[in-house]
Amino acid sequence: MDEFELIRRYFAPLSGPAEGVMLGIGDDCALLAPPPGYELAITSDTLISGRHFPEETAPFDIGWKALAVNLSDLAAMGAKARWFTLALALPEANESWLAGFSGGLKKLADESGVHLVGGDTTRGPLTITITALGIVPAGGALRRSGAQAGDRICVSGTLGDAALALDRWRAGGDPGADDAPSLRARLDRPTPRLALGEALRGIAHAAIDLSDGLAADLAHVLEASGVGAQVYAARLPASTAFDRLAPAADRARLQLAGGDDYELCLCIAPSQLSEARRRAAALGCALTDIGEIEAGSGLGVVDTHGAPLALSELGYRHFP
Ligand code: ADP
Ligand code: MG
């Protein structure tokens, strides 16, 4: 199967006519037309086999996650996801792998209303780079730099599930085979919070998606905004599976320093909190108030006993 047959068979079906696509797969470039009055939001993420996902990860899940991590960045900007490109390095043209991979990609693309508009296919160690493009009303994007002293810090969904699944997998168990399939799904098939990001545009002062762990990602917001924060470990939202299976001694580490949550962290003025909650609830999404933005700098975390918690003791590293 040559490169063009491979594209035709596995990736062209993710294309098709779509709003704003003047020209899709097949020419030297795609031609896209964002609506007047909108800005383009563009983001890229690369996933390397063995580094960003275990080598034995199901191809379906690799396809899903490669797109999900990019869409999560669009969600964090409050952008509407529209299009994406796929640059794929493959060791070989393995048809069952390609069918699984493109199937996972297509499932999330269909659910999210995004269309594949181009890419590149080469031979090499398995590496997947997706560039996702979204649209956002001019001047309306949610940035990291808008947090203000007095804002409430809110997170969507629950924290720590993916990190717990990874811990359990590393410890030699197969989290998918025991009583924790929901944890493993959070690791392999994260759901980007696209609708929530859009719904909170014009409400939240600042936003970021949680890919490297709450402490590291919130620190980016604090730095960009020139503010500090207090977060309360006892308030961090957890799933029932996490509550049941996370060892007590690991909870704070998993929820504060564990990555791959792909939830949104938003800074919201107290006066807007109930409206934000109402909009989140309409989307079936929990929004939990976990602390406050303060004047100053740095992140303080209060442990479940009300004492300061040293982030250095969480095994927290900048380059995990
Ligand atoms: P060029 O040599 O001009 O860069 P290619 O021969 O690499 O073009 O690609 C041919 C067409 O197929 C282009 O429109 C390109 O965007 C598209 N394409 C290549 N690889 C992929 C892929 N993995 N997914 C989607 N489209 C792809
Ligand atoms: Mg060309």
Side-chain angles (χ1 to χ4, degrees):
M1 186 174 43
D2 72 10
E3 174 194 338
F4 301 102
E5 174 61 13
L6 184 155
I7 295 164
R8 196 189 61 72
R9 196 175 302 175
Y10 294 104
F11 299 118
L14 283 74
S15 182
E19 204 179 320
V21 180
M22 305 294 108
L23 188 62
I25 291 176
D27 211 315
D28 294 311
C29 292
L31 297 173
L32 304 175
Y38 282 75
E39 291 169 345
L40 273 179
I42 304 178
T43 181
S44 291
D45 264 306
T46 294
L47 268 63
I48 299 173
S49 180
R51 171 120 39 109
H52 299 100
F53 54 88
E55 264 159 42
E56 62 270 39
T57 304
F60 184 97
D61 293 339
I62 298 172
W64 175 289
K65 189 162 180 177
L67 181 57
V69 302
N70 280 282
L71 297 183
S72 180
D73 284 321
L74 293 182
M77 299 301 284
K80 182 181 285 298
R82 273 283 179 251
W83 313 293
F84 69 105
T85 65
L86 168 68
L88 188 60
L90 285 173
E92 55 176 347
N94 175 323
E95 299 221 22
S96 85
W97 190 92
L98 279 161
F101 174 78
S102 62
L105 209 52
K106 186 170 189 336
K107 182 100 196 317
L108 181 59
D110 288 349
E111 283 181 16
S112 311
V114 296
H115 297 269
L116 183 62
V117 295
D120 189 33
T121 308
T122 55
R123 195 174 289 272
L126 179 58
T127 306
I128 303 135
T129 299
I130 286 182
T131 297
L133 300 98
I135 55 173
V136 62
L142 295 171
R143 302 184 184 200
R144 296 178 179 186
S145 54
Q148 297 173 22
D151 282 352
R152 304 308 309 171
I153 302 168
C154 295
V155 294
S156 62
T158 61
L159 303 181
D161 296 300
L164 178 57
L166 193 60
D167 261 19
R168 291 162 66 86
W169 174 76
R170 280 185 178 140
D174 174 4
D178 65 9
D179 55 351
S182 66
L183 295 179
R184 186 65 195 222
R186 287 292 306 270
L187 179 64
D188 290 333
R189 251 164 286 146
T191 304
R193 296 289 188 183
L194 284 164
L196 183 66
E198 275 198 78
L200 296 184
R201 208 174 54 221
I203 296 244
H205 285 153
I208 193 167
D209 70 314
L210 300 179
S211 53
D212 296 332
L214 175 66
D217 291 322
L218 179 55
H220 295 312
V221 172
L222 304 182
E223 201 174 358
S225 300
V227 293
Q230 280 294 332
V231 161
Y232 304 89
R235 294 197 198 170
L236 299 179
S239 69
T240 49
F242 185 91
D243 278 340
R244 195 172 71 245
L245 296 167
D250 295 335
R251 281 185 72 102
R253 172 180 63 81
L254 292 167
Q255 293 202 286
L256 286 156
D260 282 335
D261 289 313
Y262 297 103
E263 295 292 352
L264 295 185
C265 176
L266 304 126
C267 301
I268 300 172
S271 61
Q272 296 275 46
L273 197 55
S274 58
E275 176 61 16
R277 281 234 173 80
R278 200 186 59 74
R279 293 186 186 194
L283 297 168
C285 178
L287 200 59
T288 306
D289 177 345
I290 61 164
E292 58 265 346
I293 298 290
E294 303 171 331
S297 66
L299 172 62
V301 179
V302 176
D303 74 13
T304 48
H305 308 291
L309 185 150
L311 287 176
S312 56
E313 284 170 20
L314 297 176
Y316 167 71
R317 287 168 296 153
H318 266 288
F319 299 101

